[in-house]
Amino acid sequence: MLTTHSPARWRRFVPLAVFVAMVLLGGMASPALSQPDPTHTLADAGRVLIKVESDLPIDARDLVQEHGTAITNAWPQFAALFGAEPAAPQIIVFVDAVDQAHKAGMRWVNDFTYVSPDGSVTIVAIDPFLGLTPIEAGNVLRNVVSRGFVQAAAGGQMPLGLLDGIARYVETPVAARQARLGSLVQGLDQSGTLPGWTRIVTSTAPDLSTEEQTANSYALVAFLTDRYGVAGLRNLIAGFASTTEWTANLASTFGQSEVDLAAAWNQFLPRWFASGWRDNAVSAFDLRRAEELFARGAYEAAAAEAERSQRLFTDLDDQVGLSRVEALLAQCAIGLQADSIMADAQAAHESNAYIEVLALLTQADALYALLPDPHRPVTTIERYGDLANDGAAADSQLERARGSADNWLAVTTARRDAVTAGDTYALLGNADGVTAATLVVSEIDTRIQRMVFVLSALVVVLCAWLGVWTWQRSPGRLMWRPLGPPSPRWRAGTGGD
């Protein structure tokens, strides 16, 4: 049976934390924020005050210039996600080192960052922070700033373990960090020491390290978000403004019994250990990866990323975010269609359908015109266009040659057209076209050869006839008889009559 826990236990640390912070930070009450402080440099990152000890290697203004966008970008995301904003000012103080006095009543974020339970005051050791990568440094800032939003939405009654898990969940995912969290939870599960929900939610597992407790809280938040979506998580947080009993809040928010949720949790963990630790719904706030994929022309991958953001903005009813992601999805759809048509054009070219290639290129070019200029594959379109035009011209020449092959007056031109078409087909790698052109040339050559044979035979016959005729007409061949009296035989015969 899971037990409940009231956050009243940590409330007694709040005055102490505030008092310590005020003493250490030179009196950080609101009226004093505008007063000059020679021991610190001050700068604003949106609505968060950055305070840096004067003898540190960076001042507040430079630090805000380098890392302030992590806060200003996170602020509208958290406002949309949690549906509330911190009422109290948030202050992040960078010191040379975090000592025990700084840690009193504060929540552990990492070994050099501690934050008050209400998120109003954060203490950060400067050197380890400056050694982080930009994304890791941004995650520290996102973590501590988010706590003020969560407590504002929960009426300041958020259980601390769940608060730690949510603050970690809203960080920008880093694969190595997520894998570390997953492995910590899996190790506890395999050893049979994974605490129950009550100890996770209330952060009351003293036998575990603070990192292990945070990992467990992160896993629980991942489970709730995976099962009920970001909107469900927001409703759960808001429910704590009405009750500090987390089990009652859980049941009223999700309408499921403790037994059903425990069974679902047990089914979730193996899947989460395998690969689910990679998933993070809140990361879909950031459209930069989808936009980067789109810029590289990876439209399908960009659309998949953008669809995650679409689901998030739909859950939160964020119309501004929806309009932005839907515009990106529309451009991805255009890019996918244009690429598909270009693939069809390539297939048509390989099939030697040159007229079809030209028609497809016209369609693709019209679609690419709707995308940013760098997305238009100018070289590819021009190359395919030139090849298709040459192929279409060769098709026309071959058809003209076929039509004129039987015309003796145009047979020479027909042969020349067929030869030219064959040369073009050879350059295009069109073996069928070369064969067809060769056949036409062969047919024309056969007709010409036959004509030559007929003409040659006629010439031979004519020459023979002329030879005979000339021979017959030669003077030596003419037999002329002289005129004289009739022969005796003729006379005798005549006289007998």
Side-chain angles (χ1 to χ4, degrees):
M1 180 70 177
L2 299 180
T3 60
T4 62
H5 178 82
S6 171
R9 184 178 302 174
W10 65 261
R11 288 181 184 173
R12 67 174 180 266
F13 292 108
V14 173
L16 176 62
V18 173
F19 173 77
V20 170
M22 291 177 64
V23 172
L24 292 174
L25 305 179
M28 213 171 274
S30 299
L33 292 179
S34 59
Q35 299 299 320
D37 184 356
T39 63
H40 294 81
T41 59
L42 305 176
D44 292 323
R47 292 167 59 182
V48 177
L49 176 66
I50 303 299
K51 191 168 184 177
V52 180
E53 289 182 347
S54 298
D55 56 350
L56 297 183
I58 188 172
D59 64 17
R61 182 177 300 177
D62 289 341
L63 194 145
V64 167
Q65 185 174 2
E66 188 170 350
H67 298 287
T69 54
I71 296 174
T72 54
N73 289 340
W75 195 277
Q77 294 177 11
F78 295 160
L81 178 60
F82 301 116
E85 296 186 17
Q90 289 184 291
I91 305 166
I92 303 177
V93 185
F94 289 86
V95 297
D96 182 54
V98 179
D99 55 29
Q100 287 301 123
H102 292 132
K103 299 176 185 179
M106 307 288 268
R107 299 299 298 172
W108 178 91
V109 176
N110 55 46
D111 290 339
F112 57 88
T113 305
Y114 290 80
V115 59
S116 62
D118 63 353
S120 62
V121 179
T122 302
I123 308 294
V124 186
I126 189 66
D127 287 339
F129 180 83
L130 294 180
L132 299 176
T133 64
I135 190 170
E136 290 170 338
N139 276 338
V140 171
L141 299 175
R142 288 178 66 91
N143 185 307
V144 298
V145 169
S146 69
R147 295 166 185 264
F149 287 85
V150 174
Q151 289 289 22
Q157 302 188 114
M158 195 69 191
L160 296 183
L162 203 54
L163 174 63
D164 291 339
I166 293 170
R168 184 58 52 89
Y169 191 80
V170 298
E171 294 180 9
T172 301
V174 177
R177 182 74 174 276
Q178 290 174 278
R180 168 71 176 168
L181 294 172
S183 66
L184 287 174
V185 179
Q186 185 176 24
L188 294 173
D189 183 63
Q190 290 175 341
S191 65
T193 57
L194 182 64
W197 279 17
T198 296
R199 298 177 68 196
I200 294 175
V201 169
T202 59
S203 188
T204 53
D207 51 324
L208 302 180
S209 68
T210 50
E211 186 182 19
E212 288 174 326
Q213 293 186 57
T214 300
N216 295 333
S217 301
Y218 177 90
L220 181 55
V221 172
F223 162 70
L224 295 173
T225 307
D226 178 80
R227 187 170 178 83
Y228 301 107
V230 172
L233 179 64
R234 180 172 60 178
N235 292 337
L236 179 67
I237 294 170
F240 284 106
S242 302
T243 178
T244 59
E245 301 296 328
W246 75 266
T247 52
N249 185 16
L250 206 66
S252 63
T253 300
F254 302 127
Q256 285 193 291
S257 68
E258 182 180 312
V259 174
D260 291 338
L261 287 173
W265 166 251
N266 292 330
Q267 293 175 355
F268 167 80
L269 285 175
R271 176 166 55 86
W272 192 70
F273 294 148
S275 62
W277 53 267
R278 299 176 184 273
D279 300 330
N280 185 297
V282 175
S283 66
F285 266 118
D286 190 354
L287 278 175
R288 284 178 298 181
R289 175 161 174 75
E291 289 169 343
E292 289 170 358
L293 289 168
F294 173 79
R296 297 204 301 264
Y299 303 120
E300 187 172 358
E305 286 289 326
E307 285 169 357
R308 294 178 59 250
S309 299
Q310 185 182 42
R311 289 192 294 271
L312 173 63
F313 294 138
T314 300
D315 272 355
L316 299 178
D317 194 24
D318 184 347
Q319 296 303 316
V320 175
L322 270 177
S323 62
R324 182 183 171 196
V325 74
E326 285 171 357
L328 179 59
L329 282 169
Q331 288 203 309
C332 288
I334 292 172
L336 284 170
Q337 186 179 2
D339 282 357
S340 177
I341 292 175
M342 285 297 294
D344 291 342
Q346 181 180 359
H349 174 74
E350 291 171 354
S351 300
N352 308 317
Y354 303 114
I355 298 300
E356 183 181 353
V357 171
L358 292 172
L360 291 170
L361 288 178
T362 300
Q363 295 177 36
D365 202 29
L367 290 172
Y368 283 123
L370 302 175
L371 300 176
D373 288 342
H375 290 255
R376 183 178 183 269
V378 178
T379 303
T380 302
I381 290 176
E382 290 179 351
R383 179 173 174 271
Y384 275 124
D386 291 342
L387 294 175
N389 280 318
D390 290 345
D395 286 345
S396 298
Q397 287 176 318
L398 189 58
E399 285 302 312
R400 190 164 58 246
R402 287 194 180 105
S404 303
D406 294 330
N407 186 344
W408 289 107
L409 297 178
V411 71
T412 303
T413 301
R415 188 181 190 279
R416 183 169 58 249
D417 285 341
V419 171
T420 302
D423 290 342
T424 301
Y425 288 139
L427 291 174
L428 294 174
N430 185 348
D432 293 338
V434 171
T435 300
T438 301
L439 181 60
V440 172
V441 172
S442 298
E443 290 175 351
I444 292 174
D445 287 346
T446 299
R447 291 190 184 98
I448 293 175
Q449 188 177 33
R450 288 173 182 171
M451 182 176 65
V452 170
F453 287 158
V454 170
L455 292 176
S456 298
L458 289 175
V459 169
V460 170
V461 170
L462 180 60
C463 289
W465 182 82
L466 288 174
V468 171
W469 183 79
T470 302
W471 180 76
Q472 290 291 339
R473 288 179 58 84
S474 63
R477 298 297 180 191
L478 296 175
M479 302 291 293
W480 300 103
R481 293 179 182 274
L483 283 174
S487 66
R489 185 183 299 175
W490 178 81
R491 284 200 304 268
T494 302
D497 291 339

